[in-house]
């Protein structure tokens, strides 16, 4: 440092948020574009909504715990002193979807397929891999009841993961109706059903005895617990199916699961009768993409026919899913080393003050030929300029000194191998194209 | 509407913000990608910073009026009740740039070329074309003193506008040193110079007599006003140049302008000795892109050697510019009519329940062939399905009924011309490629 800092500003980004330098932005953008291209190939269109919403749109939608995590925006002008908030940063992309659907009913048509990839904000305690500003990536079909909508969502999400080179996943599939049928078949009392679902949702993180102990403490009957324990121990799908089928709602759920699996038609889809998915807004099929190396829910979703209509005063059938895009980006980042690489392929060096105009014309020619090109904009002799190119991983540099001017040549230096060659000025674009 | 709304929620986006439906997002994205591609071809790398900053990073940077327009975020948890703010939404992209430069000094190297296209937030009174959430598009070269940096910024911005098909602009060029030289040549007293610059900045919106009257009221001498009036009336560049050149600082400014014009080397660049550019942080050349049809400042920028170092406790030479991207988007929108068009080229219709699996397989084949495809996900017979395609501007639809199944054919309906043809199922991709 040249001197002590002027003020004691904390210059890091706010806790739980990140600055993304060019290398990172380029890597993230590449993934996002890949996913967008797949969604658009399926006829899903992009939506963008404001970063903040009127506060009453957001509060009361995420439970008490969720509401505490909403970033609220102070009123302005004369009302600033009240300390009250009128807006709040969006907490997810689902509530904005519901608002847009209610506000544009006639514009959007009866069926609407949208995707939305954008940051959301939660005042969560920051931790490794948990941020206060992070991207979500949602696709949803609004207005369609049938299983084809669910299948298209699943297929588009699968293909997006494959396009990101994450292809070794399994899709766990269930229906909330199967689960509710199971609870009925176990004769779990209505007042214990919600708690039981919450406990079953912890199966991938916790041991069965701990879960059963908590159910006992909550008053779930011994017989119910014995039946549940048996199915959790044997994981005998045929037996569980038979049990679910004894309850009409469960039988309907099995049909949903089977139809969807047939429509998707890929071998990596497995029936998982205890899959609950945390959020209790799901009404039909639910699914989760996972793999040992990818984490247990790199993507998930399902059918939720009661949610999108929250502002519409009508039932709006919907299904959709979320790709864990921050997780995907982290997995892909681990494969690539970050460098402060330039986007350019060529650095046009500047021999002396008199050759500046020539250098800019050379850069124009290269850019017109579609070759990404930087001109050295700093001070310093050739050695410093070539060092700059190396520090930015620019592979090629052009040099034109008095000798080259006299002979109408350009020297091209290949910094990757440390070799250089002279080419006639008129053939520069072609020569660079070859390297 | 099915019934009265459940609650009296205002469902429009917050005042001064916008929802962008798919057609608009696609059009905006296309422009943004075009601009990004140009910047990257020039070796500028993308930066992303958080939506909000620590409040002390932002306040005091935009004058009292600007500070009032900052959206502030309430503290959370136990401190929420204090009504105090600790974060604030970014107001521009320059202060975050200065923070990132100070925070990543060793990572970024001596010279850093970055672009940043992202929303900013200002609690301005909303008006036609003025929003509270809007995109800015900045490119800057940090760490380079020489005129090549200025030239590269100007060239990259020019090419970005041309790439957006806005090619009929003029670049007005000046240097703050020319202006300060002029004020000295007019013998305007030091205490009147700032006010005079502010008045000159209004020349494109106001009449000369009104400006002169205010200068008189402020106490600017009669002789000074007479000289200024003469130059404003004659606009005799040769004479003005001669006058500027009598002052050493003015002469230096003329050299800056002439060097930059030569380096840029395009005929659409004109010396405009009264161009002030509102912001007083400019220290060298300033420029403005304009054209009658495009508005007077579709883009602007200049050299500002005192700004980026605000958090670094050192002088960081810098130059850069802003493309008026919201203005560009509005100009381009006026050329195109918004429709709720799908991104898909083909709608695969569903004849009956039994043909759903076949339809999904057909869609897969088309997508694998790179053809964007929707499967109809709603309920309803063929007529309704074709109406859906028409309402989404999907040009083609495939139909497979019992006849087609028996003969291994597919009917392709071209909704643009109302014609249809049968093709062998195996030749579907090729046939669609031809249409």
């Amino acid at each position: 440092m040249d001197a002590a800092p002027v003020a004691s500003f904390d210059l890091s980004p706010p806790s739980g948020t990140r600055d993304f330098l060019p290398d990172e932005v380029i890597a993230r953008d590449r993934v996002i574009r890949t996913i967008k291209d797949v969604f658009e190939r399926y006829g899903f269109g992009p939506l963008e909504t404001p970063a903040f919403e009127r506060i009453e749109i957001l509060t009361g939608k995420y439970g008490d715990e969720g509401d505490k995590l909403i970033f609220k925006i102070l009123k302005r002008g004369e009302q600033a002193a009240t300390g009250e908030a009128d807006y709040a940063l969006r907490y997810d992309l689902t509530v904005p979807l519901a608002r847009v659907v209610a506000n544009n009913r006639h514009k959007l048509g009866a069926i609407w397929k949208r995707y939305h990839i954008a940051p959301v904000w939660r005042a969560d305690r920051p931790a490794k891999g948990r941020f206060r500003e992070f991207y979500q990536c949602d696709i949803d079909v609004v207005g369609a009841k049938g299983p084809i909508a669910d299948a298209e969502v699943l297929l588009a999400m699968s293909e997006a993961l494959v396009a990101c080179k994450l292809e070794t996943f399994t899709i766990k599939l269930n229906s909330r109706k199967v689960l509710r049928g199971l609870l009925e078949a176990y004769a779990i009392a209505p007042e214990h059903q919600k708690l039981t679902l919450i406990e079953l949702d912890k199966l991938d993180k916790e041991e069965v005895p701990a879960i059963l102990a908590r159910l006992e403490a909550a008053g779930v009957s011994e017989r119910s617990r014995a039946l549940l324990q048996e199915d959790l121990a044997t994981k005998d799908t045929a037996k569980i199916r038979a049990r679910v089928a004894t309850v009409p709602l469960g039988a309907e759920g099995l049909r949903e699961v089977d139809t969807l699996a047939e429509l998707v038609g890929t071998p990596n889809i497995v029936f998982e009768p205890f899959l609950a998915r945390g959020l209790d807004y799901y009404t039909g099929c639910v699914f989760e993409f996972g793999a040992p190396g990818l984490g247990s829910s790199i993507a998930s979703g399902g059918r939720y026919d009661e949610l999108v209509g929250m502002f519409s005063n009508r039932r709006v059938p919907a299904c959709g899913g979320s790709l864990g895009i921050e997780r995907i980006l982290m997995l892909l980042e681990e494969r690539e080393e970050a460098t402060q690489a330039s986007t350019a392929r060529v650095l046009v060096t500047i021999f002396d003050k008199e050759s500046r105009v020539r250098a800019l014309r050379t850069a124009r020619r290269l850019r017109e030929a579609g070759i990404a090109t930087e001109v050295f904009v700093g001070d310093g002799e050739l050695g410093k300029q070539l060092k700059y190119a190396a520090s930015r991983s620019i592979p090629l540099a052009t040099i034109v000194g008095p000798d080259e001017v006299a002979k109408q040549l350009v020297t091209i230096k290949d910094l990757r191998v440390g070799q250089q060659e002279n080419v006639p000025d008129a053939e520069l674009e072609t020569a660079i194209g070859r390297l």
Side-chain angles (χ1 to χ4, degrees), chain A:
Chain A
M1 297 288 278
D2 298 321
V6 241
S8 63
F9 285 125
D10 184 343
L11 295 169
S12 58
S15 166
T17 71
R18 295 161 287 176
D19 292 324
F20 295 107
L21 297 182
D23 263 18
E24 298 162 295
V25 178
I26 288 171
R28 290 173 68 92
D29 257 9
R30 199 181 302 135
V31 172
I32 289 171
R33 278 195 195 193
T34 301
I35 294 171
K36 282 179 156 193
D37 285 348
V38 171
F39 290 168
E40 293 186 9
R41 226 180 306 142
Y42 276 74
F44 288 84
L47 173 68
E48 274 189 24
T49 65
F52 53 76
E53 297 280 350
R54 294 174 211 282
I55 200 162
E56 63 272 20
I57 292 285
L58 297 185
T59 47
K61 309 297 185 298
Y62 310 104
D64 286 348
E65 282 310 302
D67 278 359
K68 282 185 198 151
L69 304 184
I70 295 175
F71 281 107
K72 294 173 183 155
I73 295 174
L74 264 179
K75 290 183 179 175
R76 295 145 306 280
E78 288 168 10
Q79 297 202 276
T82 62
E84 289 170 10
D86 56 351
Y87 297 145
L89 293 180
R90 69 176 165 230
Y91 180 90
D92 69 7
L93 303 175
T94 306
V95 169
L97 169 66
R99 181 184 58 70
V100 167
V101 166
N103 196 41
N104 294 276
R105 184 165 170 195
H106 300 292
K107 231 179 191 169
L108 300 181
I111 294 169
W112 191 45
K113 296 164 68 179
R114 84 91 179 79
Y115 73 86
H116 196 170
I117 306 177
V120 301
W121 295 270
R122 295 182 184 177
D124 231 327
R125 189 183 300 274
K128 189 178 181 310
R130 187 166 67 214
F131 301 103
R132 294 177 140 195
E133 174 180 72
F134 59 97
Y135 271 70
Q136 285 197 335
C137 169
D138 282 14
I139 61 168
D140 294 274
V141 179
V142 174
K145 288 192 292 278
I148 294 183
D150 304 60
E152 284 282 276
V153 164
L154 260 174
L155 286 167
M157 291 173 72
S158 293
E159 196 170 323
L161 286 176
V162 172
C164 292
K165 309 243 187 306
L166 300 169
E167 48 276 273
T168 55
F169 51 83
T170 304
I171 304 170
K172 291 183 194 165
L173 181 63
N174 198 15
S175 165
R176 293 292 284 217
K177 294 172 188 163
V178 166
L179 264 177
R180 284 160 62 200
L182 260 182
L183 299 189
E184 218 175 305
Y186 295 149
I188 290 176
E191 67 271 25
H192 296 139
Q193 293 200 355
K194 192 169 176 187
L195 171 83
T196 309
L197 284 178
I198 290 170
E199 291 295 334
L200 288 177
D201 198 35
K202 300 177 186 162
L203 273 171
D204 55 347
K205 291 186 276 302
E206 295 197 36
E207 297 297 320
V208 172
I211 288 170
L212 289 169
R214 282 196 300 269
L215 292 180
E216 182 177 2
V220 174
S221 76
E222 195 181 336
R223 183 173 158 253
S224 296
R225 284 182 282 117
L227 290 169
L228 172 60
Q229 184 168 22
E230 184 192 327
D231 284 350
L232 287 174
T234 64
K235 302 223 163 180
D236 181 340
T237 308
K239 200 169 154 193
I240 296 172
R241 284 187 71 104
R243 205 195 294 280
V244 173
T246 61
V247 178
L249 188 70
E252 191 186 322
L254 285 177
R255 277 194 301 276
E256 283 181 0
V257 166
D258 293 344
T259 303
L260 183 52
E262 191 200 358
L263 289 175
V264 172
T266 54
N268 62 345
I269 193 159
V270 292
F271 172 51
E272 174 58 59
F274 291 105
L275 178 70
R277 295 292 313 140
L279 300 162
D280 58 1
Y281 57 63
Y282 289 110
T283 56
C285 282
V286 290
F287 56 84
E288 202 171 88
F289 290 62
L294 302 181
S296 61
S297 64
I298 190 94
S300 63
R303 173 162 288 279
Y304 50 99
D305 287 340
E306 316 282 353
L307 189 71
V308 174
M310 66 173 97
F311 302 118
S312 305
N313 200 34
R314 60 189 171 108
R315 200 168 191 259
V316 180
C319 62
S322 249
L323 280 180
I325 194 162
E326 292 284 354
R327 184 105 190 80
I328 294 171
L329 289 164
M330 269 191 291
L331 287 165
L332 296 177
E333 257 167 41
E334 284 164 16
R335 297 188 188 170
E336 283 178 60
E337 181 86 18
T339 59
Q340 285 305 319
S342 169
T343 48
R345 198 166 134 64
V346 179
L347 178 74
V348 174
T349 64
I350 303 212
F351 195 80
D352 53 25
K353 214 172 158 184
E354 282 60 47
S355 50
R356 295 190 301 195
V357 170
R358 172 195 301 271
L360 282 163
R361 298 300 163 272
T362 302
R364 170 181 299 186
R365 275 173 52 198
L366 292 173
R367 286 163 182 156
E368 279 172 0
I371 299 161
T373 302
E374 277 202 50
V375 178
F376 186 72
V377 295
D379 297 316
E381 64 343 329
L382 199 59
K384 191 177 161 194
Q385 300 188 31
L386 295 175
K387 257 189 201 155
Y388 171 84
S391 75
R392 295 288 180 185
S393 309
I394 303 176
L396 304 172
T398 63
I399 304 166
V400 178
D403 278 6
E404 284 92 347
V405 172
K407 296 180 192 153
Q408 294 192 293
L409 292 175
V410 180
T411 298
I412 306 174
K413 195 170 172 78
D414 188 330
L415 293 144
R416 297 164 296 192
V417 292
Q419 285 175 344
Q420 60 183 55
E421 58 172 310
N422 289 315
V423 300
D425 183 53
E427 293 168 21
L428 179 61
E429 296 92 324
T430 331
I432 284 184
R434 270 200 312 270
L435 284 166

